[in-house]
Amino acid sequence: MKRSLLLFLSLFALFALAFVAYTTDTQASATDMKQVAAPPSDFAQLQMPDAAEAGVRSQAAMVPVTLEMGKDGLWHWQGELGVDASQEASLMVFAPEAGSWELTVQRPNDKSVSLKDSSRLADVQHQVTSLSLGEEAGYPADVYLFDRPQAGMWQVAVTATGANAKSGEAIDGYIVVSTDSSYQAFSHLAHYNLLVGNQIGFVSYVYDARANGETGVPTATANVIREASLVVTGPNGDQSKYNMVAGRDGQFRADFVAREAGDYTAQVMLKGVSPEGLPFLRTSEHVFPVIDSDLTIARDAVQGRNIGDGIMQLDVMVASSKALATVQVAAEVWGQDAAGNPVAVAWLSGLVSPEARGDQYALPLNLDARWIALADAKGPFELRNVRIQNVDNHIPMATMKALDVETGRLPWVAYRNINSISEDMMMGQRPEALKSTANAASGAKLMLVHGYCSGSVWPTGDFTGEIVFADHDKNRSHDAFARLIDTFGDNNASSFGVVAHSQGGAASLHLYTYYWSGLDNASGSRLIQSVGTPYQGTALAGNLAILGDIFGAGCGTNFDLTYDGASLWLSNIPSWARSKVYYSTTSFNTRWWAYDYCHIATDPFLSDPDDGTTEKWSGQLSGANNMGHKKGWCHTNGMRDTAQYYDSGRNSNMNSYASR
């Protein structure tokens, strides 16, 4: 009997310890999330973005090559490529292996020549290279540069001669034709309602780069396009082709219905005649996710309740037939002034864990009543521009224009005289675990962070007191990347600042915005320093995804690194978080006598200046601290100029001013 009782007590104790550990871990993960808030001055930059603002500009055509078996037992393809160049043009070949295709080209009023003998052609240069976004091996490519391109229709023939062709298993590929013409294609998603069952559209047109800036929505050039098509590849690999229909102002559009969740790729192809009467050919490449969600926001008034310390919890009620994990929620709070006119109070956001309430879920947003005092506002209150987004790709799951808020009696701090914004008004209450280790000098470190699909990049000899984050050769969303940085910091430092390369900069900013971490304990001049980070995305994400449909995914598609994904992500990053970032951009050295680039394979897809991955314009972060642009440094190893992370002068400067 005593043994049975002892066994029972022992098992009960183990169960109790396990339960305590579980609840402690659950509470810790919840308190790690910040309650994000921002002033009304941030409202404009925190709106749901317009998909047209994130369009892809293209000066190239990525033409699919489908090989067919000939009578000679070899695999062949032939086609016409419109070239509207005046000074420069290039052909880039993506085949199963470098050099596995032989190209024969016949330019207007010229004889047919084999590019196998390009070394004998005075006006053609040949390079063997590969296309990649990180430091992975990439897709093999042969590039042919033409100094005197001879504008017009080129006849191009391909014969596969590689090992695959000899085995009877030739793999298709692409030929990319790029010119220096000022006429480019502009293509974009029609909207971001990327849900299963929705109709998804693409809009495309031609514009003149000489009359338009490198950002924003360009003005269409009419009467160029004669034929426009859209090819969509679904998550299961099935392809569908749609003819794009002409609309107003020279714009063309096609729509399709997404039948399943997953990653989609899309290619727009435009054919026509330029205003100068030359053949026009451009494509643009896109990758985007479609999510399966039936989440809806209840139209009932949001119930607000005082949970202490001057905080009101506002429960946004939602319904979903599917299991609901952590989501990203954002909304503007509005009240009234003494005259009864609408007055903006604050923007609320954060990563929210749903709370089951009967057949619905509550998504709690915390409103510090000091925001009400600061705005000198009173009720009735409402939430405007409410949106719920997927954490990993920021696709909107549901939106609502406005919801009434029932607050009851406001916390007493709502009536105080508040003249400034404190840290806890923007981030919520700092967890006790962080308070106890704040500014512990022995644990203060500088974390060196790499980027997408990368190995170690930073020369540690340029830094002091550093710890090196390592998640090599991986493809992560900004959120997953950020949580790994957080875990590494927890295990190696009580406080840390960051020096980051490429995607590591965006992931670090994401961490600082949404999670409590050692970043919040750091002291010093510059909390997050980055080099070559595509804060506004890169066109290469779409091109690589298209190639992945044929040759395999490589490191995998990453929507956060596209123009669209970056735009959606940035629409939730407030000014106080951006202000902690100090960023630098670089590009290739320019030489008047030569064709300039950082990477010859990425150059056709990027607008100059660029570092081979990140364009100068897309590396800008509004509201952050621009530390300048330097020529002569490229994104990573294997490019024409030295990798930007080897700049010892900049590294020394970042080390000196880094927070730790």
Side-chain angles (χ1 to χ4, degrees), residues 546-562:
I546 292 287
L547 290 172
D549 287 341
I550 289 184
F551 300 117
C555 252
T557 60
N558 190 312
F559 184 62
D560 281 347
L561 295 178
T562 67

Side-chain angles (χ1 to χ4, degrees), residues 164-510:
N164 288 316
K166 294 176 182 177
S167 68
E169 299 178 353
I171 300 175
D172 297 336
Y174 285 90
I175 293 178
V176 178
V177 55
S178 176
T179 78
D180 64 345
S181 168
S182 65
Y183 296 103
Q184 301 188 13
F186 184 76
S187 305
H188 62 85
L189 281 161
H191 57 74
Y192 289 135
N193 298 320
L194 305 177
L195 305 178
V196 171
N198 279 3
Q199 188 164 280
I200 296 170
F202 273 88
V203 176
S204 189
Y205 54 89
V206 176
Y207 74 99
D208 188 345
R210 292 170 299 188
N212 293 268
E214 60 187 8
T215 60
V217 181
T219 301
T221 300
N223 303 319
V224 173
I225 300 173
R226 302 291 187 269
E227 179 184 340
S229 61
L230 171 70
V231 175
V232 177
T233 304
N236 61 4
D238 290 345
Q239 275 193 348
S240 299
K241 184 176 181 178
Y242 306 88
N243 292 323
M244 303 186 79
V245 179
R248 61 181 180 82
D249 301 328
Q251 298 187 9
F252 284 69
R253 176 165 175 161
D255 297 86
F256 69 97
V257 176
R259 300 296 184 188
E260 61 180 319
D263 288 329
Y264 286 71
T265 60
Q267 184 180 49
V268 173
M269 180 171 287
L270 305 179
K271 297 180 181 179
V273 179
S274 75
E276 285 79 14
L278 297 173
F280 179 88
L281 177 64
R282 301 287 187 274
T283 67
S284 64
E285 289 70 38
H286 308 258
V287 59
F288 57 95
V290 171
I291 61 176
D292 188 9
S293 173
D294 63 356
L295 185 145
T296 57
I297 301 174
R299 295 184 178 274
D300 300 335
V302 172
Q303 300 299 312
R305 56 193 177 94
N306 192 339
I307 59 174
D309 295 326
I311 307 298
M312 295 200 66
Q313 181 173 305
L314 308 180
D315 291 332
V316 178
M317 302 304 297
V318 301
S320 174
S321 67
K322 299 174 175 59
L324 197 59
T326 298
V327 293
Q328 189 172 350
V329 185
E332 299 167 7
V333 181
W334 287 74
Q336 293 186 358
D337 62 17
N341 299 311
V343 60
V345 175
W347 182 81
L348 303 181
S349 181
L351 306 183
V352 175
S353 298
E355 300 174 2
R357 304 270 181 86
D359 60 352
Q360 292 186 315
Y361 292 96
L363 303 179
L365 284 173
N366 284 1
L367 171 63
D368 191 313
R370 286 175 290 178
W371 287 107
I372 298 174
L374 186 65
D376 196 17
K378 62 183 183 63
F381 295 93
E382 67 175 355
L383 298 183
R384 295 185 185 178
N385 297 318
V386 182
R387 65 182 191 251
I388 301 166
Q389 294 167 263
N390 183 285
V391 173
D392 280 324
N393 52 41
H394 322 292
I395 298 300
M397 304 166 72
T399 60
M400 185 72 73
K401 194 66 177 176
L403 289 172
D404 292 335
V405 177
E406 294 182 359
T407 60
R409 183 174 177 80
L410 296 176
W412 66 275
V413 295
Y415 305 101
R416 288 180 56 191
N417 183 25
I418 303 295
N419 297 310
S420 61
I421 300 172
S422 61
E423 177 193 87
D424 54 346
M425 287 173 66
M426 298 183 293
M427 306 181 189
Q429 292 293 324
R430 180 182 287 262
E432 290 296 327
L434 280 180
K435 291 179 183 178
S436 63
T437 59
N439 299 318
S442 61
K445 301 292 183 182
L446 174 59
M447 188 185 298
L448 306 180
V449 180
H450 59 70
Y452 164 88
C453 199
S454 174
S456 292
V457 295
W458 297 105
T460 54
D462 288 351
F463 302 93
T464 56
E466 79 280 358
I467 52 176
V468 181
F469 172 83
D471 181 45
H472 296 159
D473 306 318
K474 297 296 192 304
N475 174 17
R476 310 287 190 192
S477 69
H478 287 350
D479 186 70
F481 201 151
R483 287 185 280 109
L484 288 172
I485 295 172
D486 184 21
T487 300
F488 180 73
D490 287 345
N491 293 331
N492 292 278
S494 59
S495 69
F496 60 88
V498 166
V499 165
H501 181 242
S502 196
Q503 190 194 1
S508 299
L509 174 56
H510 186 95

Side-chain angles (χ1 to χ4, degrees), residues 101-141:
W101 287 359
E102 288 187 5
L103 262 67
T104 301
V105 175
Q106 183 173 3
R107 291 172 280 184
N109 305 315
D110 200 356
K111 63 181 181 179
S112 177
V113 296
S114 171
L115 297 188
K116 181 180 181 181
D117 303 320
S118 59
S119 60
R120 301 177 185 176
L121 302 174
D123 61 341
V124 181
Q125 302 175 46
H126 175 221
Q127 291 190 31
V128 177
T129 183
S130 65
L131 179 67
S132 65
L133 183 56
E135 294 203 334
E136 73 273 32
Y139 300 106

Side-chain angles (χ1 to χ4, degrees), residues 521-607:
N521 277 345
S523 60
S525 299
R526 304 176 191 168
L527 186 64
I528 299 170
Q529 300 179 84
S530 67
V531 181
T533 296
Y535 288 106
Q536 298 184 63
T538 173
L540 296 182
N543 300 112
L544 289 165
I546 292 287
L547 290 172
D549 287 341
I550 289 184
F551 300 117
C555 252
T557 60
N558 190 312
F559 184 62
D560 281 347
L561 295 178
T562 67
Y563 297 147
D564 291 304
S567 180
L568 286 164
W569 170 70
L570 280 174
S571 70
N572 288 283
I573 305 296
S575 59
W576 56 259
R578 296 173 184 230
S579 69
K580 297 296 185 180
V581 175
Y582 296 76
Y583 67 93
S584 299
T585 55
T586 71
S587 62
F588 49 80
N589 262 327
T590 53
R591 303 167 300 179
W592 64 266
W593 67 90
Y595 180 54
D596 284 316
Y597 53 83
C598 258
H599 199 301
I600 196 168
T602 67
D603 193 63
F605 307 118
L606 302 173
S607 60

